[in-house]
Amino acid sequence: MSARFSLPRLFRFCLALLACALLASCATMSGPRDVELPASRLQQGLEKRFPMNQRVLEMFDIRLTHPQLAMLPEQERIAVTIDTAIGTPLAAQPWNGSLALSGRLAVDAARNAIVLRDARLDRLGADGMDETHQRMLGRVATLVADRVIKDFVLYTFKPEDLRHFGVQYTPTVIKTTANALVITFEPQK
């Protein structure tokens, strides 16, 4: 019995081998890719984490509601304004106002998330409160910002966000634009 090689069979075999080689080379040669994450999606994710209640110094009960996200592309930061109600046994009524803070965005590879880092209190306003009391409350608000906003997760990547055409990617760079984040993903090696 002799082995028979027909030309069509050999051609199909070579074509299949070439296709496999091309797919393998594409998977290893794929480069970085940019993905745009709209601010509206970040806003929706942020709203799911509120309202928040915090007790500070065993004296202040703070309720944070209605976060509003704003992009600050020129500073590579984002800003969040939050409605705030601050209650204390020393006051008959809680003080209502708003808290504005901003932070730098970073990738937390361990959590596959975008987190807010280097948060700072930009403004605290309380309705009907004099400036002296607002300064004192500013210190309390700074404690709240440190507790609540430190490494605050703004967005968590789903496993399918990190795979593209069979290649596993890792988020590496975040750029802030006027109405979105642009995240650069690099293929894992």
Side-chain angles (χ1 to χ4, degrees), residues 139-164:
R139 292 183 191 113
V140 172
T142 300
L143 289 172
V144 171
D146 284 345
R147 272 191 195 172
V148 174
I149 305 300
K150 184 177 182 166
D151 288 343
F152 186 80
V153 175
L154 278 174
Y155 185 80
T156 302
F157 296 105
K158 297 177 215 121
E160 58 267 19
D161 293 338
L162 302 173
R163 276 193 96 54
H164 189 66

mmCIF file with all atom_site columns, all heavy atoms in Angstrom, residues 139-164:
data_model
loop_
_atom_site.group_PDB
_atom_site.id
_atom_site.type_symbol
_atom_site.label_atom_id
_atom_site.label_alt_id
_atom_site.label_comp_id
_atom_site.label_asym_id
_atom_site.label_entity_id
_atom_site.label_seq_id
_atom_site.pdbx_PDB_ins_code
_atom_site.Cartn_x
_atom_site.Cartn_y
_atom_site.Cartn_z
_atom_site.occupancy
_atom_site.B_iso_or_equiv
_atom_site.pdbx_formal_charge
_atom_site.auth_seq_id
_atom_site.auth_comp_id
_atom_site.auth_asym_id
_atom_site.auth_atom_id
_atom_site.pdbx_PDB_model_num
ATOM 1   N N   . ARG A 1 139 ? -12.482 70.137 58.698 1.00 0.00 ? 139 ARG A N   1
ATOM 2   C CA  . ARG A 1 139 ? -11.583 69.128 59.254 1.00 0.00 ? 139 ARG A CA  1
ATOM 3   C C   . ARG A 1 139 ? -12.284 67.775 59.353 1.00 0.00 ? 139 ARG A C   1
ATOM 4   O O   . ARG A 1 139 ? -11.700 66.729 59.064 1.00 0.00 ? 139 ARG A O   1
ATOM 5   C CB  . ARG A 1 139 ? -11.081 69.575 60.625 1.00 0.00 ? 139 ARG A CB  1
ATOM 6   C CG  . ARG A 1 139 ? -10.163 70.771 60.535 1.00 0.00 ? 139 ARG A CG  1
ATOM 7   C CD  . ARG A 1 139 ? -9.606  71.163 61.897 1.00 0.00 ? 139 ARG A CD  1
ATOM 8   N NE  . ARG A 1 139 ? -8.958  72.443 61.806 1.00 0.00 ? 139 ARG A NE  1
ATOM 9   C CZ  . ARG A 1 139 ? -9.392  73.552 62.400 1.00 0.00 ? 139 ARG A CZ  1
ATOM 10  N NH1 . ARG A 1 139 ? -10.470 73.531 63.158 1.00 0.00 ? 139 ARG A NH1 1
ATOM 11  N NH2 . ARG A 1 139 ? -8.746  74.681 62.252 1.00 0.00 ? 139 ARG A NH2 1
ATOM 12  N N   . VAL A 1 140 ? -13.545 67.804 59.779 1.00 0.00 ? 140 VAL A N   1
ATOM 13  C CA  . VAL A 1 140 ? -14.326 66.569 59.854 1.00 0.00 ? 140 VAL A CA  1
ATOM 14  C C   . VAL A 1 140 ? -14.528 66.005 58.450 1.00 0.00 ? 140 VAL A C   1
ATOM 15  O O   . VAL A 1 140 ? -14.392 64.802 58.222 1.00 0.00 ? 140 VAL A O   1
ATOM 16  C CB  . VAL A 1 140 ? -15.689 66.819 60.546 1.00 0.00 ? 140 VAL A CB  1
ATOM 17  C CG1 . VAL A 1 140 ? -16.581 65.601 60.459 1.00 0.00 ? 140 VAL A CG1 1
ATOM 18  C CG2 . VAL A 1 140 ? -15.470 67.242 61.992 1.00 0.00 ? 140 VAL A CG2 1
ATOM 19  N N   . ALA A 1 141 ? -14.814 66.879 57.501 1.00 0.00 ? 141 ALA A N   1
ATOM 20  C CA  . ALA A 1 141 ? -15.029 66.439 56.124 1.00 0.00 ? 141 ALA A CA  1
ATOM 21  C C   . ALA A 1 141 ? -13.758 65.822 55.545 1.00 0.00 ? 141 ALA A C   1
ATOM 22  O O   . ALA A 1 141 ? -13.818 64.871 54.764 1.00 0.00 ? 141 ALA A O   1
ATOM 23  C CB  . ALA A 1 141 ? -15.496 67.601 55.265 1.00 0.00 ? 141 ALA A CB  1
ATOM 24  N N   . THR A 1 142 ? -12.599 66.356 55.931 1.00 0.00 ? 142 THR A N   1
ATOM 25  C CA  . THR A 1 142 ? -11.335 65.773 55.474 1.00 0.00 ? 142 THR A CA  1
ATOM 26  C C   . THR A 1 142 ? -11.190 64.353 56.000 1.00 0.00 ? 142 THR A C   1
ATOM 27  O O   . THR A 1 142 ? -10.746 63.452 55.276 1.00 0.00 ? 142 THR A O   1
ATOM 28  C CB  . THR A 1 142 ? -10.151 66.648 55.922 1.00 0.00 ? 142 THR A CB  1
ATOM 29  O OG1 . THR A 1 142 ? -10.319 67.947 55.345 1.00 0.00 ? 142 THR A OG1 1
ATOM 30  C CG2 . THR A 1 142 ? -8.833  66.080 55.457 1.00 0.00 ? 142 THR A CG2 1
ATOM 31  N N   . LEU A 1 143 ? -11.576 64.118 57.249 1.00 0.00 ? 143 LEU A N   1
ATOM 32  C CA  . LEU A 1 143 ? -11.557 62.752 57.802 1.00 0.00 ? 143 LEU A CA  1
ATOM 33  C C   . LEU A 1 143 ? -12.493 61.837 57.026 1.00 0.00 ? 143 LEU A C   1
ATOM 34  O O   . LEU A 1 143 ? -12.154 60.690 56.727 1.00 0.00 ? 143 LEU A O   1
ATOM 35  C CB  . LEU A 1 143 ? -11.953 62.756 59.280 1.00 0.00 ? 143 LEU A CB  1
ATOM 36  C CG  . LEU A 1 143 ? -10.949 63.352 60.254 1.00 0.00 ? 143 LEU A CG  1
ATOM 37  C CD1 . LEU A 1 143 ? -11.567 63.475 61.646 1.00 0.00 ? 143 LEU A CD1 1
ATOM 38  C CD2 . LEU A 1 143 ? -9.698  62.503 60.309 1.00 0.00 ? 143 LEU A CD2 1
ATOM 39  N N   . VAL A 1 144 ? -13.679 62.347 56.706 1.00 0.00 ? 144 VAL A N   1
ATOM 40  C CA  . VAL A 1 144 ? -14.640 61.557 55.925 1.00 0.00 ? 144 VAL A CA  1
ATOM 41  C C   . VAL A 1 144 ? -14.061 61.240 54.556 1.00 0.00 ? 144 VAL A C   1
ATOM 42  O O   . VAL A 1 144 ? -14.128 60.101 54.085 1.00 0.00 ? 144 VAL A O   1
ATOM 43  C CB  . VAL A 1 144 ? -15.986 62.303 55.782 1.00 0.00 ? 144 VAL A CB  1
ATOM 44  C CG1 . VAL A 1 144 ? -16.906 61.606 54.802 1.00 0.00 ? 144 VAL A CG1 1
ATOM 45  C CG2 . VAL A 1 144 ? -16.654 62.425 57.133 1.00 0.00 ? 144 VAL A CG2 1
ATOM 46  N N   . ALA A 1 145 ? -13.463 62.233 53.903 1.00 0.00 ? 145 ALA A N   1
ATOM 47  C CA  . ALA A 1 145 ? -12.876 62.011 52.581 1.00 0.00 ? 145 ALA A CA  1
ATOM 48  C C   . ALA A 1 145 ? -11.786 60.951 52.661 1.00 0.00 ? 145 ALA A C   1
ATOM 49  O O   . ALA A 1 145 ? -11.694 60.078 51.793 1.00 0.00 ? 145 ALA A O   1
ATOM 50  C CB  . ALA A 1 145 ? -12.325 63.316 52.023 1.00 0.00 ? 145 ALA A CB  1
ATOM 51  N N   . ASP A 1 146 ? -10.958 61.008 53.707 1.00 0.00 ? 146 ASP A N   1
ATOM 52  C CA  . ASP A 1 146 ? -9.894  60.014 53.859 1.00 0.00 ? 146 ASP A CA  1
ATOM 53  C C   . ASP A 1 146 ? -10.470 58.613 54.050 1.00 0.00 ? 146 ASP A C   1
ATOM 54  O O   . ASP A 1 146 ? -9.947  57.641 53.509 1.00 0.00 ? 146 ASP A O   1
ATOM 55  C CB  . ASP A 1 146 ? -8.986  60.357 55.041 1.00 0.00 ? 146 ASP A CB  1
ATOM 56  C CG  . ASP A 1 146 ? -8.036  61.494 54.726 1.00 0.00 ? 146 ASP A CG  1
ATOM 57  O OD1 . ASP A 1 146 ? -7.883  61.826 53.531 1.00 0.00 ? 146 ASP A OD1 1
ATOM 58  O OD2 . ASP A 1 146 ? -7.458  62.055 55.672 1.00 0.00 ? 146 ASP A OD2 1
ATOM 59  N N   . ARG A 1 147 ? -11.546 58.499 54.794 1.00 0.00 ? 147 ARG A N   1
ATOM 60  C CA  . ARG A 1 147 ? -12.154 57.188 55.056 1.00 0.00 ? 147 ARG A CA  1
ATOM 61  C C   . ARG A 1 147 ? -12.919 56.642 53.865 1.00 0.00 ? 147 ARG A C   1
ATOM 62  O O   . ARG A 1 147 ? -12.788 55.495 53.491 1.00 0.00 ? 147 ARG A O   1
ATOM 63  C CB  . ARG A 1 147 ? -13.151 57.291 56.216 1.00 0.00 ? 147 ARG A CB  1
ATOM 64  C CG  . ARG A 1 147 ? -12.558 57.103 57.535 1.00 0.00 ? 147 ARG A CG  1
ATOM 65  C CD  . ARG A 1 147 ? -13.696 56.965 58.525 1.00 0.00 ? 147 ARG A CD  1
ATOM 66  N NE  . ARG A 1 147 ? -13.207 57.131 59.872 1.00 0.00 ? 147 ARG A NE  1
ATOM 67  C CZ  . ARG A 1 147 ? -13.976 57.205 60.914 1.00 0.00 ? 147 ARG A CZ  1
ATOM 68  N NH1 . ARG A 1 147 ? -15.279 57.169 60.776 1.00 0.00 ? 147 ARG A NH1 1
ATOM 69  N NH2 . ARG A 1 147 ? -13.458 57.326 62.096 1.00 0.00 ? 147 ARG A NH2 1
ATOM 70  N N   . VAL A 1 148 ? -13.764 57.463 53.314 1.00 0.00 ? 148 VAL A N   1
ATOM 71  C CA  . VAL A 1 148 ? -14.700 57.005 52.286 1.00 0.00 ? 148 VAL A CA  1
ATOM 72  C C   . VAL A 1 148 ? -14.073 56.970 50.899 1.00 0.00 ? 148 VAL A C   1
ATOM 73  O O   . VAL A 1 148 ? -14.283 56.033 50.136 1.00 0.00 ? 148 VAL A O   1
ATOM 74  C CB  . VAL A 1 148 ? -15.959 57.908 52.278 1.00 0.00 ? 148 VAL A CB  1
ATOM 75  C CG1 . VAL A 1 148 ? -16.881 57.559 51.133 1.00 0.00 ? 148 VAL A CG1 1
ATOM 76  C CG2 . VAL A 1 148 ? -16.679 57.806 53.597 1.00 0.00 ? 148 VAL A CG2 1
ATOM 77  N N   . ILE A 1 149 ? -13.314 57.976 50.567 1.00 0.00 ? 149 ILE A N   1
ATOM 78  C CA  . ILE A 1 149 ? -12.859 58.142 49.192 1.00 0.00 ? 149 ILE A CA  1
ATOM 79  C C   . ILE A 1 149 ? -11.478 57.544 48.948 1.00 0.00 ? 149 ILE A C   1
ATOM 80  O O   . ILE A 1 149 ? -11.107 57.291 47.823 1.00 0.00 ? 149 ILE A O   1
ATOM 81  C CB  . ILE A 1 149 ? -12.890 59.636 48.801 1.00 0.00 ? 149 ILE A CB  1
ATOM 82  C CG1 . ILE A 1 149 ? -14.275 60.228 49.043 1.00 0.00 ? 149 ILE A CG1 1
ATOM 83  C CG2 . ILE A 1 149 ? -12.491 59.855 47.369 1.00 0.00 ? 149 ILE A CG2 1
ATOM 84  C CD1 . ILE A 1 149 ? -15.393 59.568 48.257 1.00 0.00 ? 149 ILE A CD1 1
ATOM 85  N N   . LYS A 1 150 ? -10.715 57.270 49.994 1.00 0.00 ? 150 LYS A N   1
ATOM 86  C CA  . LYS A 1 150 ? -9.373  56.720 49.795 1.00 0.00 ? 150 LYS A CA  1
ATOM 87  C C   . LYS A 1 150 ? -9.454  55.392 49.044 1.00 0.00 ? 150 LYS A C   1
ATOM 88  O O   . LYS A 1 150 ? -10.110 54.461 49.489 1.00 0.00 ? 150 LYS A O   1
ATOM 89  C CB  . LYS A 1 150 ? -8.681  56.509 51.135 1.00 0.00 ? 150 LYS A CB  1
ATOM 90  C CG  . LYS A 1 150 ? -7.269  56.033 50.978 1.00 0.00 ? 150 LYS A CG  1
ATOM 91  C CD  . LYS A 1 150 ? -6.570  55.907 52.303 1.00 0.00 ? 150 LYS A CD  1
ATOM 92  C CE  . LYS A 1 150 ? -5.155  55.466 52.057 1.00 0.00 ? 150 LYS A CE  1
ATOM 93  N NZ  . LYS A 1 150 ? -4.336  55.618 53.217 1.00 0.00 ? 150 LYS A NZ  1
ATOM 94  N N   . ASP A 1 151 ? -8.814  55.327 47.903 1.00 0.00 ? 151 ASP A N   1
ATOM 95  C CA  . ASP A 1 151 ? -8.840  54.148 47.031 1.00 0.00 ? 151 ASP A CA  1
ATOM 96  C C   . ASP A 1 151 ? -10.261 53.690 46.720 1.00 0.00 ? 151 ASP A C   1
ATOM 97  O O   . ASP A 1 151 ? -10.549 52.509 46.605 1.00 0.00 ? 151 ASP A O   1
ATOM 98  C CB  . ASP A 1 151 ? -8.022  53.008 47.632 1.00 0.00 ? 151 ASP A CB  1
ATOM 99  C CG  . ASP A 1 151 ? -6.533  53.286 47.565 1.00 0.00 ? 151 ASP A CG  1
ATOM 100 O OD1 . ASP A 1 151 ? -6.132  54.175 46.795 1.00 0.00 ? 151 ASP A OD1 1
ATOM 101 O OD2 . ASP A 1 151 ? -5.780  52.621 48.283 1.00 0.00 ? 151 ASP A OD2 1
ATOM 102 N N   . PHE A 1 152 ? -11.162 54.648 46.563 1.00 0.00 ? 152 PHE A N   1
ATOM 103 C CA  . PHE A 1 152 ? -12.560 54.381 46.241 1.00 0.00 ? 152 PHE A CA  1
ATOM 104 C C   . PHE A 1 152 ? -12.648 53.788 44.841 1.00 0.00 ? 152 PHE A C   1
ATOM 105 O O   . PHE A 1 152 ? -12.105 54.343 43.888 1.00 0.00 ? 152 PHE A O   1
ATOM 106 C CB  . PHE A 1 152 ? -13.357 55.688 46.323 1.00 0.00 ? 152 PHE A CB  1
ATOM 107 C CG  . PHE A 1 152 ? -14.826 55.531 46.149 1.00 0.00 ? 152 PHE A CG  1
ATOM 108 C CD1 . PHE A 1 152 ? -15.616 55.099 47.199 1.00 0.00 ? 152 PHE A CD1 1
ATOM 109 C CD2 . PHE A 1 152 ? -15.429 55.817 44.938 1.00 0.00 ? 152 PHE A CD2 1
ATOM 110 C CE1 . PHE A 1 152 ? -16.982 54.972 47.048 1.00 0.00 ? 152 PHE A CE1 1
ATOM 111 C CE2 . PHE A 1 152 ? -16.792 55.685 44.777 1.00 0.00 ? 152 PHE A CE2 1
ATOM 112 C CZ  . PHE A 1 152 ? -17.576 55.256 45.838 1.00 0.00 ? 152 PHE A CZ  1
ATOM 113 N N   . VAL A 1 153 ? -13.310 52.651 44.708 1.00 0.00 ? 153 VAL A N   1
ATOM 114 C CA  . VAL A 1 153 ? -13.441 51.985 43.408 1.00 0.00 ? 153 VAL A CA  1
ATOM 115 C C   . VAL A 1 153 ? -14.524 52.688 42.591 1.00 0.00 ? 153 VAL A C   1
ATOM 116 O O   . VAL A 1 153 ? -15.683 52.735 42.992 1.00 0.00 ? 153 VAL A O   1
ATOM 117 C CB  . VAL A 1 153 ? -13.783 50.486 43.580 1.00 0.00 ? 153 VAL A CB  1
ATOM 118 C CG1 . VAL A 1 153 ? -14.035 49.841 42.220 1.00 0.00 ? 153 VAL A CG1 1
ATOM 119 C CG2 . VAL A 1 153 ? -12.662 49.768 44.314 1.00 0.00 ? 153 VAL A CG2 1
ATOM 120 N N   . LEU A 1 154 ? -14.116 53.237 41.454 1.00 0.00 ? 154 LEU A N   1
ATOM 121 C CA  . LEU A 1 154 ? -15.062 53.886 40.546 1.00 0.00 ? 154 LEU A CA  1
ATOM 122 C C   . LEU A 1 154 ? -15.603 52.927 39.499 1.00 0.00 ? 154 LEU A C   1
ATOM 123 O O   . LEU A 1 154 ? -16.736 53.058 39.063 1.00 0.00 ? 154 LEU A O   1
ATOM 124 C CB  . LEU A 1 154 ? -14.382 55.041 39.816 1.00 0.00 ? 154 LEU A CB  1
ATOM 125 C CG  . LEU A 1 154 ? -14.295 56.344 40.572 1.00 0.00 ? 154 LEU A CG  1
ATOM 126 C CD1 . LEU A 1 154 ? -13.482 57.350 39.787 1.00 0.00 ? 154 LEU A CD1 1
ATOM 127 C CD2 . LEU A 1 154 ? -15.665 56.910 40.846 1.00 0.00 ? 154 LEU A CD2 1
ATOM 128 N N   . TYR A 1 155 ? -14.778 51.990 39.096 1.00 0.00 ? 155 TYR A N   1
ATOM 129 C CA  . TYR A 1 155 ? -15.209 51.044 38.060 1.00 0.00 ? 155 TYR A CA  1
ATOM 130 C C   . TYR A 1 155 ? -14.413 49.756 38.211 1.00 0.00 ? 155 TYR A C   1
ATOM 131 O O   . TYR A 1 155 ? -13.202 49.798 38.425 1.00 0.00 ? 155 TYR A O   1
ATOM 132 C CB  . TYR A 1 155 ? -14.970 51.630 36.661 1.00 0.00 ? 155 TYR A CB  1
ATOM 133 C CG  . TYR A 1 155 ? -15.495 50.767 35.554 1.00 0.00 ? 155 TYR A CG  1
ATOM 134 C CD1 . TYR A 1 155 ? -16.843 50.773 35.216 1.00 0.00 ? 155 TYR A CD1 1
ATOM 135 C CD2 . TYR A 1 155 ? -14.644 49.920 34.850 1.00 0.00 ? 155 TYR A CD2 1
ATOM 136 C CE1 . TYR A 1 155 ? -17.328 49.967 34.202 1.00 0.00 ? 155 TYR A CE1 1
ATOM 137 C CE2 . TYR A 1 155 ? -15.130 49.110 33.835 1.00 0.00 ? 155 TYR A CE2 1
ATOM 138 C CZ  . TYR A 1 155 ? -16.470 49.140 33.519 1.00 0.00 ? 155 TYR A CZ  1
ATOM 139 O OH  . TYR A 1 155 ? -16.947 48.331 32.527 1.00 0.00 ? 155 TYR A OH  1
ATOM 140 N N   . THR A 1 156 ? -15.109 48.640 38.127 1.00 0.00 ? 156 THR A N   1
ATOM 141 C CA  . THR A 1 156 ? -14.458 47.329 38.177 1.00 0.00 ? 156 THR A CA  1
ATOM 142 C C   . THR A 1 156 ? -14.603 46.679 36.808 1.00 0.00 ? 156 THR A C   1
ATOM 143 O O   . THR A 1 156 ? -15.704 46.620 36.247 1.00 0.00 ? 156 THR A O   1
ATOM 144 C CB  . THR A 1 156 ? -15.093 46.432 39.256 1.00 0.00 ? 156 THR A CB  1
ATOM 145 O OG1 . THR A 1 156 ? -14.996 47.105 40.513 1.00 0.00 ? 156 THR A OG1 1
ATOM 146 C CG2 . THR A 1 156 ? -14.384 45.096 39.341 1.00 0.00 ? 156 THR A CG2 1
ATOM 147 N N   . PHE A 1 157 ? -13.493 46.211 36.274 1.00 0.00 ? 157 PHE A N   1
ATOM 148 C CA  . PHE A 1 157 ? -13.507 45.559 34.973 1.00 0.00 ? 157 PHE A CA  1
ATOM 149 C C   . PHE A 1 157 ? -14.090 44.160 35.104 1.00 0.00 ? 157 PHE A C   1
ATOM 150 O O   . PHE A 1 157 ? -13.754 43.417 36.019 1.00 0.00 ? 157 PHE A O   1
ATOM 151 C CB  . PHE A 1 157 ? -12.089 45.460 34.390 1.00 0.00 ? 157 PHE A CB  1
ATOM 152 C CG  . PHE A 1 157 ? -11.476 46.792 34.116 1.00 0.00 ? 157 PHE A CG  1
ATOM 153 C CD1 . PHE A 1 157 ? -10.498 47.301 34.950 1.00 0.00 ? 157 PHE A CD1 1
ATOM 154 C CD2 . PHE A 1 157 ? -11.882 47.547 33.027 1.00 0.00 ? 157 PHE A CD2 1
ATOM 155 C CE1 . PHE A 1 157 ? -9.930  48.535 34.713 1.00 0.00 ? 157 PHE A CE1 1
ATOM 156 C CE2 . PHE A 1 157 ? -11.322 48.780 32.779 1.00 0.00 ? 157 PHE A CE2 1
ATOM 157 C CZ  . PHE A 1 157 ? -10.349 49.280 33.624 1.00 0.00 ? 157 PHE A CZ  1
ATOM 158 N N   . LYS A 1 158 ? -14.949 43.811 34.160 1.00 0.00 ? 158 LYS A N   1
ATOM 159 C CA  . LYS A 1 158 ? -15.471 42.447 34.084 1.00 0.00 ? 158 LYS A CA  1
ATOM 160 C C   . LYS A 1 158 ? -14.429 41.590 33.364 1.00 0.00 ? 158 LYS A C   1
ATOM 161 O O   . LYS A 1 158 ? -13.617 42.117 32.591 1.00 0.00 ? 158 LYS A O   1
ATOM 162 C CB  . LYS A 1 158 ? -16.785 42.442 33.299 1.00 0.00 ? 158 LYS A CB  1
ATOM 163 C CG  . LYS A 1 158 ? -17.868 43.234 33.971 1.00 0.00 ? 158 LYS A CG  1
ATOM 164 C CD  . LYS A 1 158 ? -19.116 43.237 33.098 1.00 0.00 ? 158 LYS A CD  1
ATOM 165 C CE  . LYS A 1 158 ? -19.809 44.557 33.239 1.00 0.00 ? 158 LYS A CE  1
ATOM 166 N NZ  . LYS A 1 158 ? -19.976 45.322 32.051 1.00 0.00 ? 158 LYS A NZ  1
ATOM 167 N N   . PRO A 1 159 ? -14.435 40.287 33.605 1.00 0.00 ? 159 PRO A N   1
ATOM 168 C CA  . PRO A 1 159 ? -13.448 39.424 32.925 1.00 0.00 ? 159 PRO A CA  1
ATOM 169 C C   . PRO A 1 159 ? -13.457 39.590 31.403 1.00 0.00 ? 159 PRO A C   1
ATOM 170 O O   . PRO A 1 159 ? -12.395 39.597 30.778 1.00 0.00 ? 159 PRO A O   1
ATOM 171 C CB  . PRO A 1 159 ? -13.863 38.012 33.339 1.00 0.00 ? 159 PRO A CB  1
ATOM 172 C CG  . PRO A 1 159 ? -14.556 38.194 34.646 1.00 0.00 ? 159 PRO A CG  1
ATOM 173 C CD  . PRO A 1 159 ? -15.255 39.533 34.551 1.00 0.00 ? 159 PRO A CD  1
ATOM 174 N N   . GLU A 1 160 ? -14.638 39.793 30.816 1.00 0.00 ? 160 GLU A N   1
ATOM 175 C CA  . GLU A 1 160 ? -14.698 39.943 29.353 1.00 0.00 ? 160 GLU A CA  1
ATOM 176 C C   . GLU A 1 160 ? -14.110 41.276 28.884 1.00 0.00 ? 160 GLU A C   1
ATOM 177 O O   . GLU A 1 160 ? -13.732 41.415 27.724 1.00 0.00 ? 160 GLU A O   1
ATOM 178 C CB  . GLU A 1 160 ? -16.126 39.757 28.825 1.00 0.00 ? 160 GLU A CB  1
ATOM 179 C CG  . GLU A 1 160 ? -17.149 40.692 29.404 1.00 0.00 ? 160 GLU A CG  1
ATOM 180 C CD  . GLU A 1 160 ? -17.884 40.163 30.619 1.00 0.00 ? 160 GLU A CD  1
ATOM 181 O OE1 . GLU A 1 160 ? -17.404 39.220 31.276 1.00 0.00 ? 160 GLU A OE1 1
ATOM 182 O OE2 . GLU A 1 160 ? -18.951 40.710 30.915 1.00 0.00 ? 160 GLU A OE2 1
ATOM 183 N N   . ASP A 1 161 ? -14.011 42.276 29.790 1.00 0.00 ? 161 ASP A N   1
ATOM 184 C CA  . ASP A 1 161 ? -13.358 43.534 29.429 1.00 0.00 ? 161 ASP A CA  1
ATOM 185 C C   . ASP A 1 161 ? -11.855 43.342 29.235 1.00 0.00 ? 161 ASP A C   1
ATOM 186 O O   . ASP A 1 161 ? -11.208 44.131 28.549 1.00 0.00 ? 161 ASP A O   1
ATOM 187 C CB  . ASP A 1 161 ? -13.551 44.584 30.538 1.00 0.00 ? 161 ASP A CB  1
ATOM 188 C CG  . ASP A 1 161 ? -14.986 45.029 30.708 1.00 0.00 ? 161 ASP A CG  1
ATOM 189 O OD1 . ASP A 1 161 ? -15.777 44.883 29.753 1.00 0.00 ? 161 ASP A OD1 1
ATOM 190 O OD2 . ASP A 1 161 ? -15.320 45.508 31.809 1.00 0.00 ? 161 ASP A OD2 1
ATOM 191 N N   . LEU A 1 162 ? -11.316 42.306 29.876 1.00 0.00 ? 162 LEU A N   1
ATOM 192 C CA  . LEU A 1 162 ? -9.868  42.090 29.870 1.00 0.00 ? 162 LEU A CA  1
ATOM 193 C C   . LEU A 1 162 ? -9.420  41.071 28.824 1.00 0.00 ? 162 LEU A C   1
ATOM 194 O O   . LEU A 1 162 ? -8.243  40.742 28.741 1.00 0.00 ? 162 LEU A O   1
ATOM 195 C CB  . LEU A 1 162 ? -9.409  41.653 31.262 1.00 0.00 ? 162 LEU A CB  1
ATOM 196 C CG  . LEU A 1 162 ? -9.745  42.643 32.381 1.00 0.00 ? 162 LEU A CG  1
ATOM 197 C CD1 . LEU A 1 162 ? -9.398  42.057 33.730 1.00 0.00 ? 162 LEU A CD1 1
ATOM 198 C CD2 . LEU A 1 162 ? -9.043  43.968 32.163 1.00 0.00 ? 162 LEU A CD2 1
ATOM 199 N N   . ARG A 1 163 ? -10.368 40.544 28.038 1.00 0.00 ? 163 ARG A N   1
ATOM 200 C CA  . ARG A 1 163 ? -10.044 39.604 26.960 1.00 0.00 ? 163 ARG A CA  1
ATOM 201 C C   . ARG A 1 163 ? -10.539 40.179 25.646 1.00 0.00 ? 163 ARG A C   1
ATOM 202 O O   . ARG A 1 163 ? -11.630 40.701 25.557 1.00 0.00 ? 163 ARG A O   1
ATOM 203 C CB  . ARG A 1 163 ? -10.729 38.256 27.195 1.00 0.00 ? 163 ARG A CB  1
ATOM 204 C CG  . ARG A 1 163 ? -9.930  37.362 28.114 1.00 0.00 ? 163 ARG A CG  1
ATOM 205 C CD  . ARG A 1 163 ? -10.452 35.943 28.092 1.00 0.00 ? 163 ARG A CD  1
ATOM 206 N NE  . ARG A 1 163 ? -9.817  35.004 27.220 1.00 0.00 ? 163 ARG A NE  1
ATOM 207 C CZ  . ARG A 1 163 ? -8.532  34.714 27.177 1.00 0.00 ? 163 ARG A CZ  1
ATOM 208 N NH1 . ARG A 1 163 ? -7.691  35.347 27.925 1.00 0.00 ? 163 ARG A NH1 1
ATOM 209 N NH2 . ARG A 1 163 ? -8.062  33.799 26.377 1.00 0.00 ? 163 ARG A NH2 1
ATOM 210 N N   . HIS A 1 164 ? -9.687  40.045 24.630 1.00 0.00 ? 164 HIS A N   1
ATOM 211 C CA  . HIS A 1 164 ? -10.056 40.540 23.313 1.00 0.00 ? 164 HIS A CA  1
ATOM 212 C C   . HIS A 1 164 ? -9.438  39.603 22.284 1.00 0.00 ? 164 HIS A C   1
ATOM 213 O O   . HIS A 1 164 ? -8.216  39.445 22.235 1.00 0.00 ? 164 HIS A O   1
ATOM 214 C CB  . HIS A 1 164 ? -9.530  41.981 23.155 1.00 0.00 ? 164 HIS A CB  1
ATOM 215 C CG  . HIS A 1 164 ? -10.012 42.680 21.938 1.00 0.00 ? 164 HIS A CG  1
ATOM 216 N ND1 . HIS A 1 164 ? -11.336 43.009 21.745 1.00 0.00 ? 164 HIS A ND1 1
ATOM 217 C CD2 . HIS A 1 164 ? -9.352  43.120 20.842 1.00 0.00 ? 164 HIS A CD2 1
ATOM 218 C CE1 . HIS A 1 164 ? -11.461 43.626 20.597 1.00 0.00 ? 164 HIS A CE1 1
ATOM 219 N NE2 . HIS A 1 164 ? -10.264 43.700 20.018 1.00 0.00 ? 164 HIS A NE2 1
#
